[in-house]
Every structure is written in structure tokens, then in C-alpha cells.
């Protein structure tokens, strides 16, 4: 059985129908030819957008000339009430300064220090699982949110403020699906932007809660009693160029994006990874065997989980949590045989690139062993961008690869997972790639 893939739409549909499909789900709104195309153009009365699936074009935009292809202001519109001036949305000098302050906290070397908090979260996640049939995305969201609070603020998700932020985010998402239509189909500038009132109120409550965490931490830093975690590191780091630190409001912006970008994505990847393990029990056995190495909290154990890493990497290929990214060109470009006018939307699609039929061997198969083949290695270099690439690469990429591998192995150490009849998940793009009706699994305690 192949891993689930959404049905594509017919090749030709009217603009109106396209918009309707788009509103439902951007993955199934696309025609199958995008899995073979190097570049495609979408023209509507309001805008032009171009999807680019050719590795050297993706490289031009993301790696070679990122400053010529900033994030467009319009993409961030839906997110601004919540995220303010967070590093995910800014461009130019502001973005550079923010990355100079944030990046040191996520450096490879710091991961060792962050690891015990991840370990505790993985133990807690395994402790919450119960035998029987359950929807696993809820569990992985809980676990990934726990990782963020423990690593950032040294508090578990059960902490009153952490739990309040987590709950409020769920309300926010219901009122405002973040990967919304406006993000991909920019509306003309003259159209008024109305945020729903409850969305704004919910964003304000989340920011207030995060503000309390940030204020308490600033106090502890001043008194010299702050724990040595990511929040302390970020709040005490001076920009080496300007000497500035984050002001409290700007720190709230960053915590909001760490929480959002850090927990939704990892939760999605982990849920799909568990589903794939249920679908391919041979691989599950291999991961479970490797997971026996998880006995004491020791960072070096991660290097022993190589099969789990291959499985997690393959999951991120088939179900990249961020399925598409959008940039805008600041000058006219000529790509392949097309003139791309200034101000066009350029869509880079990990979803399509990772399943490109002219690049990957058996692109729709689940095969974690591919990473050791010539084709797999070449594609990993050129056609694999679950964390994006270049200057704006995900700050949490290294963090997520440790967290994902650790939690996947830890859960499978204690539990066997099986698919549930009649519950075949269909991928859809919400904020991240999720299953239409959740991912349901049967769990059983593993006999050792
Ligand atoms: C499996 C997990 C994850 C995946 C697949 C993922 C993927 C991505 C992608 C594709 C982008 C680029 C988006 C764009 O350019 O439009 C991004 C950006 C970002 N991610 Fe992640 N992410 C993950 C986990 C995390 C974690 C754990 C954190 C932090 C704790 C994080 C923080 C960020 C931030 C701050 C950015 C913005 C970077 C910038 O624009 O300079 N992510 N992520």
C-alpha cells in the first residue's frame, strides 16, 4: 500500500472552480502535472504567480539571491495580529538583526544543552499514551508544545500559563486558519482587510499570556536567578553589530513564532511518521529495536538512532509540514522561457518538489533506505527542502531533527501502532499538512 496522497484536480478548471478548490485545500486544488513540471504559471485577474520546481531555480530564489526575493507583506497579513514583527515575517535589516540575536540560541552546540528538556518531554509524552484507538495528532501537538515550553522557558505544558497559551492557540486556529487563501492568492491592495473580531481578541490574549512569561523572565534575569534555557539565551544576547537586545515587545513576537512554527510543524511530522510506522510494520520493528538504546538521558544516544532518522527524514519528504512557501520578486526576472514581471508571487513547493516524478526514484513510495542510494543522496542535496534552505532556512531545523527522532523512537519503544480500518487519513494543508479527519491509530503496549 502506498502512503496517502490527495487526489489531484482535473487539468483544466475555471478560475471560479479553482478558487473554490483552493479554499478547501491547496494540495488537492492543484493538477497532477505539477508533479512533473519544472515551472508553472497561474494567471488570474488580480495577480500572477509562478510555481517553481526546478532545483536550480529554487536555489536562485532561496539560496543565491534571497534579498531579491523577500517575503511579501501580503503573505503575512493573516498572521500579523498574532506575530507582530516576528522573524518569520520581517525582511531586510530588521530580519538580519533578529536572526543575529536568535541564531546563537539554536546553534548545533546548544542542542546538547537543550536535550534534557526534550528528553523529559518525550518521557511525559510516552506516559500520556494509552492503549486502544486514538487520534494521534492531538497527542503529538501536546508533546511538541511541551517541548517548546520546556526548552524555551523551562516549564512543562501543565504549567498554568503554558497550558493557557496552548488552549488559546487552538481557539485562534479555529477562528483563523493561518495558511489561508489570502496567503496564496493575494487580494488587490484596495480591498479592505478585515480580521474577524474574535481572531484579533484571541491573538491579543495569546500575546498577553506570552507577555507575562517574558516579563517574569526579565525579572529573573535581572535578579540573576534565570534558568539557562533558550529564553534566557535569546533575551540576554546582544546583536554583535548594533549592540541591541530584544525589547520585551519584540521578544513576545519571537516567542509567538517559536511556539507556532515550532509546535505545529513537529506535531504534523510526528503524527505522519507514526501513521507510516503503522502502515509499514517492518520499519516500525527496526525503529523499535533501535529505541531500546533510550535508557538514560544522554545526548549521544541520538547518533545511535540512524534508522529512526531515515524514517523521520522520509516522513518530511512525503509530508513536508510546510507544504509551500511564497516569495515576491523585487525586479523583473526571466526564468526558463518566461518573463516574470516585478511583484509576482513565486511559490516554492516542498510538497511537489519532494514528489517530483522527474527527480526521485519511486517518488510516492515510502522508502527510508533511499537516503543511502545515489538517487536519494542527489535528491537530498537538490530537491529536498522541508526546512527551506539558504539564509531564511528554519532556525529550528537542527532542533526539530533531534526532537522528532527522539520522540518517535521513545513512543515506539513502549507502544506498537496499527492502522484502524476505515480510517485512512487524507492529507490536507491547514496551517501545516494535516489529515482531513485526524490520524487514528490503535496503540498496544509493546512486549519486550
Ligand atoms: C519538523 C519541524 C519543522 C519544519 C518542517 C519547519 C519548517 C520551516 C520552514 C519550511 C520554514 C521557512 C518558511 C518560509 O520561508 O516561508 C521555517 C521557518 C522558521 N522556523 Fe521552522 N520548521 C520546523 C520546526 C521549527 C522549530 C522547532 C522552530 C523553533 C523552535 C522553528 C522556527 C522557525 C522560525 C523562527 C522560522 C523563520 C525563519 C526566518 O524566516 O528567518 N521551526 N520552518
Amino acid at each position: 500500500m502506498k502512503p496517502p496522497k490527495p487526489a489531484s484536480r482535473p487539468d483544466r478548471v475555471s478560475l471560479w472552480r479553482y478558487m473554490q478548490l483552493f479554499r478547501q485545500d491547496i494540495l488537492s486544488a492543484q493538477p497532477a502535472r505539477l508533479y512533473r513540471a519544472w515551472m508553472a504559471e497561474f494567471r488570474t485577474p488580480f495577480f500572477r504567480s509562478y510555481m517553481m520546481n526546478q532545483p536550480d531555480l529554487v536555489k536562485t530564489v532561496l539560496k543565491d539571491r534571497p534579498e531579491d526575493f523577500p517575503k511579501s507583506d501580503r503573505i503575512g497579513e493573516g498572521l500579523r495580529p498574532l506575530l507582530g514583527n516576528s522573524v518569520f515575517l520581517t525582511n531586510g535589516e530588521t530580519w538580519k538583526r533578529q536572526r543575529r540575536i536568535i541564531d546563537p540560541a539554536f546553534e548545533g552546540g546548544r542542542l546538547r544543552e537543550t536535550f534534557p528538556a526534550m528528553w523529559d518531554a518525550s518521557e511525559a509524552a510516552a506516559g500520556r499514551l494509552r492503549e486502544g484507538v486514538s487520534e494521534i495528532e492531538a497527542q503529538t501537538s501536546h508533546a511538541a508544545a511541551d517541548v517548546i515550553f520546556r526548552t524555551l522557558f523551562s516549564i512543562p505544558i501543565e504549567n498554568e500559563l503554558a497550558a493557557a497559551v496552548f488552549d488559546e492557540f487552538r481557539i485562534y486556529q479555529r477562528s483563523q486558519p493561518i495558511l489561508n487563501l489570502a496567503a496564496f492568492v493575494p487580494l488587490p491592495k484596495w480591498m479592505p482587510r478585515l480580521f474577524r473580531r474574535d481572531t484579533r481578541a484571541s491573538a491579543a490574549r495569546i500575546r498577553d499570556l506570552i507577555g507575562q512569561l517574558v516579563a517574569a523572565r526579565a525579572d529573573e534575569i535581572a535578579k540573576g536567578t534565570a534558568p539557562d534555557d533558550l529564553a534566557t539565551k535569546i533575551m540576554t544576547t546582544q546583536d554583535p553589530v548594533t549592540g541591541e537586545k530584544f525589547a520585551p515587545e519584540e521578544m513576545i513576537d519571537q516567542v509567538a513564532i517559536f511556539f507556532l512554527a515550532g509546535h505545529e510543524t513537529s506535531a504534523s511530522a510526528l503524527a505522519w511518521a507514526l501513521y507510516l510506522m503503522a502502515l509499514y510494520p517492518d520499519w516500525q520493528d527496526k525503529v523499535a529495536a533501535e529505541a531500546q538504546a533510550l535508557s538514560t538521558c544522554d545526548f549521544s544516544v541520538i547518533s545511535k538512532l540512524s534508522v529512526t532518522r531515515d524514517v523521520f527524514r522520509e516522513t518530511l519528504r512525503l509530508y513536508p509540514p510546510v507544504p509551500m512557501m511564497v516569495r515576491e520578486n523585487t525586479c523583473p526576472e526571466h526564468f526558463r522561457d518566461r518573463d516574470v514581471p516585478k511583484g509576482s508571487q513565486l511559490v516554492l513547493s516542498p510538497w511537489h518538489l519532494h514528489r517530483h516524478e522527474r527527480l526521485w526514484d519511486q517518488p510516492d513510495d515510502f522508502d527510508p533506505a533511499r537516503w543511502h542510494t545515489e538517487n536519494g543522496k542527489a535528491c537530498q542535496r537538490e530537491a529536498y527542502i522541508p526546512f527551506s534552505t539558504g539564509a531564511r532556512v528554519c532556525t529550528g531545523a537542527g532542533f526539530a531533527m533531534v526532537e522528532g527522532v527522539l520522540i518517535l523512537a521513545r513512543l515506539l519503544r513502549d507502544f506498537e501502532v496499527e492502522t484502524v480500518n476505515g480510517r485512512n487519513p487524507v492529507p490536507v494543508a491547514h496551517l501545516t499538512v494535516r489529515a482531513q479527519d485526524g490520524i487514528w491509530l490503535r496503540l498496544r503496549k509493546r512486549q519486550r
Side-chain angles (χ1 to χ4, degrees):
M1 183 161 159
K2 296 239 190 210
K5 180 179 179 182
S8 300
R9 69 154 164 88
D11 212 31
R12 293 199 167 278
V13 291
S14 68
L15 174 63
W16 174 240
R17 178 74 189 126
Y18 184 45
M19 299 292 238
Q20 275 180 323
L21 289 168
F22 216 104
R23 205 176 266 283
Q24 287 155 18
D25 166 43
I26 52 171
L27 299 180
S28 53
Q30 312 302 338
R33 68 185 151 84
L34 292 188
Y35 293 108
R36 291 184 297 277
W38 295 125
M39 187 168 169
E41 180 173 347
F42 307 94
R43 280 184 199 216
T44 75
F46 300 136
F47 74 104
R48 281 192 195 187
S49 80
Y50 299 84
M51 182 178 282
M52 311 219 291
N53 278 336
Q54 185 170 303
D56 62 328
L57 294 183
V58 175
K59 182 166 169 283
T60 301
V61 173
L62 294 178
K63 252 188 155 155
D64 299 344
R65 294 168 44 207
E67 299 198 16
D68 294 338
F69 303 99
K71 289 201 170 180
S72 99
D73 280 349
R74 286 181 280 181
I75 302 303
E77 266 171 325
L79 295 167
R80 213 161 294 277
L82 178 64
L83 300 181
N85 253 343
S86 96
V87 65
F88 194 81
L89 299 178
T90 51
N91 284 309
E93 287 310 312
T94 305
W95 170 80
K96 281 189 196 161
R97 178 178 51 78
Q98 292 174 337
R99 287 285 300 230
R100 286 196 297 265
I101 297 176
I102 290 168
D103 283 356
F106 287 93
E107 267 166 17
R110 288 281 308 182
L111 277 176
R112 181 181 293 276
E113 289 152 50
T114 311
F115 184 74
M118 289 186 188
W119 176 275
D120 292 346
S122 77
E123 289 289 321
R128 275 189 302 267
L129 291 188
R130 296 284 171 267
E131 286 193 305
V133 171
S134 68
E135 199 287 305
I136 208 73
E137 282 182 331
Q139 295 290 343
T140 57
S141 285
H142 200 133
D146 195 24
V147 169
I148 295 293
F149 279 109
R150 285 178 191 263
T151 54
L152 260 179
F153 286 108
S154 305
I155 51 178
I157 188 75
E158 286 75 25
N159 170 285
E160 205 180 321
L161 272 176
V165 173
F166 185 48
D167 291 343
E168 195 61 49
F169 256 100
R170 270 187 288 201
I171 298 171
Y172 180 87
Q173 272 164 244
R174 269 198 295 273
S175 75
Q176 158 88 27
I178 291 180
L179 195 66
N180 60 4
L181 197 64
F184 283 91
V185 187
L187 301 166
K189 284 221 163 69
W190 44 260
M191 238 180 224
R193 306 293 195 274
L194 298 174
F195 291 110
R196 285 171 48 182
R197 217 159 17 135
D198 47 351
T199 307
R200 272 194 185 287
S202 173
R205 281 196 298 273
I206 294 170
R207 291 184 61 88
D208 180 60
L209 290 164
I210 295 177
Q212 295 178 42
L213 286 167
V214 169
R217 176 53 56 91
D219 240 29
E220 289 172 331
I221 292 172
K223 289 192 198 123
T225 56
D228 181 21
D229 52 21
L230 293 178
T232 298
K233 173 78 182 153
I234 294 169
M235 288 171 71
T236 54
T237 299
Q238 276 183 325
D239 171 10
V241 177
T242 63
E244 286 170 40
K245 292 186 202 156
F246 280 140
E249 195 65 10
E250 204 175 8
M251 183 63 190
I252 296 175
D253 298 343
Q254 314 314 325
V255 173
I257 189 59
F258 293 148
F259 184 73
L260 187 67
H263 105 277
E264 271 283 326
T265 46
S266 293
S268 151
L270 271 169
W272 284 108
L274 287 166
Y275 180 74
L276 288 166
M277 292 299 86
L279 212 52
Y280 300 97
D282 291 357
W283 284 102
Q284 182 177 169
D285 290 346
K286 289 183 202 172
V287 171
E290 231 179 36
Q292 300 308 316
L294 293 172
S295 51
T296 48
C297 173
D298 173 4
F299 185 60
S300 65
V301 78
I302 288 295
S303 62
K304 298 189 186 135
L305 302 178
S306 59
V307 175
T308 317
R309 188 168 316 106
D310 288 344
V311 163
F312 195 66
R313 199 174 270 158
E314 181 71 340
T315 307
L316 292 174
R317 183 182 72 82
L318 286 167
Y319 302 100
V322 179
M324 293 180 201
M325 296 176 271
V326 185
R327 298 291 189 270
E328 191 170 295
N329 54 322
T330 51
C331 39
E333 301 286 344
H334 189 80
F335 289 143
R336 289 185 65 84
D337 51 355
R338 290 186 170 94
D339 285 323
V340 177
K342 179 180 164 186
S344 300
Q345 303 292 304
L346 307 178
V347 180
L348 305 148
S349 172
W351 180 272
H352 291 92
L353 193 63
H354 291 179
R355 292 174 182 256
H356 204 286
E357 292 165 11
R358 297 202 231 171
L359 295 170
W360 298 86
D361 289 343
Q362 312 297 335
D364 291 333
D365 288 5
F366 174 74
D367 178 15
R370 75 169 68 245
W371 304 112
H372 304 286
T373 66
E374 281 314 305
N375 176 260
K377 285 183 200 164
C379 284
Q380 187 178 357
R381 282 191 302 273
E382 291 170 5
Y384 184 67
I385 51 167
F387 297 105
S388 183
T389 180
R392 290 205 86 136
V393 68
C394 171
T395 39
F399 179 105
M401 285 306 293
V402 173
E403 169 195 9
V405 168
L406 173 67
I407 297 180
L408 179 60
R410 182 63 188 83
L411 299 184
L412 292 177
R413 195 194 84 181
D414 286 5
F415 287 88
E416 269 176 65
V417 291
E418 276 173 25
T419 55
V420 178
N421 261 345
R423 291 276 192 187
N424 300 330
V426 178
V428 288
H430 287 302
L431 169 53
T432 52
V433 172
R434 291 301 177 105
Q436 202 158 27
D437 300 308
I439 293 182
W440 293 81
L441 293 175
R442 176 170 289 106
L443 275 67
R444 193 169 299 134
K445 281 248 178 231
R446 190 173 290 281
Q447 305 299 327
R448 276 194 255 170

